[in-house]
């Protein structure tokens, strides 16, 4: 009984963290949309370049499939709850949509374009994007106070961030392939990956 109560408390904590994070990301996105009427076409890259970057689309597809398979193998909590629907999953879907857009806008488009405008080599742009992306996601491990989770989280998201950064460059800085890849990954693995990081669990199947 006590174990079940603790699981409920942890899941509520994860839900509130996901919701709060998503709400904070929503504010700047809404602000941009209100002040920039061409937001969707500019940000999402819905223009002529989407038809001439097939390699970027192939990279994005491979990254999505590879990272989802990798996560399912190393985080049993994701694998065990993959097809489970619950209130936490619906919050995770909302968080996935918001964070997928916001993070690509920040870690890829804004950061890499700023470095490019300051004449920073493209390799350093990719490294910087991957590094900041990895460290930012490693902060989730701090919630569990489990050191063995933090380093693998940083490394795996560093690789993911680097691959998405390469996709951004290959795609002529069209952000759409990166956004769709990130959104798909998040929709599949959220919120169970976050819950695993918060609890420090290796993936016991949770229950409502």
């Amino acid at each position: 009984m006590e174990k079940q109560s603790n699981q409920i408390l942890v899941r509520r904590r994860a839900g509130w963290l996901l919701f709060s994070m998503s709400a904070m990301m929503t504010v700047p996105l809404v602000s941009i949309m209100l002040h920039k009427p061409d937001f969707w076409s500019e940000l999402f890259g819905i223009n002529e370049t989407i038809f001439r970057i097939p390699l970027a689309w192939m990279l994005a597809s491979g990254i999505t499939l590879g990272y989802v398979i990798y996560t399912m193998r190393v985080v049993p909590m994701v694998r065990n709850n993959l097809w489970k629907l619950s209130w936490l999953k619906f919050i995770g879907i909302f968080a996935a949509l918001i964070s997928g857009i916001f993070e690509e806008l920040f870690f890829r488009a804004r950061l890499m374009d700023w470095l490019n405008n300051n004449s920073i080599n493209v390799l350093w742009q990719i490294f910087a994007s991957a590094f900041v992306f990895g460290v930012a996601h490693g902060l989730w491990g701090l919630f569990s106070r489990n050191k063995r989770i933090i380093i693998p989280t940083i490394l795996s998201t560093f690789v993911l961030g680097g691959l998405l950064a390469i996709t951004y460059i290959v795609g002529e800085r069209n952000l759409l392939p990166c956004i769709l890849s990130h959104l798909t990954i998040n929709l599949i693995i959220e919120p169970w990956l976050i819950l695993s990081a918060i609890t420090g669990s290796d993936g016991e199947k949770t229950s409502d």
Side-chain angles (χ1 to χ4, degrees):
M1 190 69 177
E2 182 179 351
K3 182 179 179 179
Q4 186 176 8
S5 298
N6 288 336
Q7 287 182 348
I8 292 173
L9 288 174
V10 169
R11 289 164 67 86
R12 286 177 178 172
R13 182 186 178 193
W16 276 111
L17 281 171
L18 282 169
F19 182 79
S20 300
M21 176 189 70
S22 303
M24 287 188 293
M25 292 180 181
T26 300
V27 173
L29 286 177
V30 171
S31 177
I32 294 173
M33 284 188 286
L34 291 176
H35 292 87
K36 298 187 70 173
D38 58 349
F39 171 82
W40 297 105
S41 59
E42 180 182 338
L43 170 60
F44 289 160
I46 304 175
N47 52 50
E48 69 281 357
T49 63
I50 64 175
F51 301 109
R52 64 172 189 244
I53 52 173
L55 180 56
W57 288 110
M58 288 188 286
L59 278 173
S61 299
I63 291 167
T64 303
L65 181 62
Y67 196 78
V68 168
I69 292 175
Y70 163 78
T71 304
M72 289 174 60
R73 287 176 62 90
V74 301
V75 186
M77 185 175 287
V78 172
R79 182 174 65 248
N80 294 337
N81 293 280
L82 188 62
W83 306 110
K84 183 176 183 179
L85 293 179
S86 68
W87 63 268
L88 188 57
K89 179 63 177 178
F90 286 110
I91 293 178
I93 291 173
F94 172 67
L97 294 171
I98 299 300
S99 63
I101 296 172
F102 181 87
E103 290 178 8
E104 289 309 307
L105 174 63
F106 178 78
F107 293 112
R108 247 61 66 188
R110 293 297 181 259
L111 176 58
M112 293 180 68
D113 287 357
W114 179 79
L115 292 172
N116 187 59
N117 292 336
N118 284 275
S119 303
I120 304 299
N121 183 277
V122 68
L123 293 179
W124 281 111
Q125 294 176 37
I126 293 171
F127 176 81
S129 175
F131 179 78
V132 177
F133 188 72
V135 171
H137 284 78
L139 295 177
W140 282 110
L142 297 177
F143 287 105
S144 69
R145 298 177 184 176
N146 189 337
K147 294 181 180 179
R148 68 184 179 87
I149 286 180
I150 298 175
I151 299 301
T153 300
I154 291 176
L155 290 177
S156 64
T157 49
F158 171 84
V159 172
L160 175 61
L163 291 172
L164 289 172
I166 292 172
T167 302
Y168 184 57
I169 296 298
V170 171
E172 301 179 17
R173 297 184 183 269
N174 186 309
L175 198 58
L176 188 58
C178 298
I179 287 179
L180 293 181
S181 176
H182 200 151
L183 281 177
T184 304
I185 290 171
N186 283 359
L187 285 170
I188 294 173
I189 68 177
E190 300 285 8
W192 311 116
L193 185 62
I194 300 300
L195 187 61
S196 176
I198 292 174
T199 61
S201 168
D202 63 356
E204 290 184 3
K205 190 171 182 178
T206 58
S207 59
D208 285 316

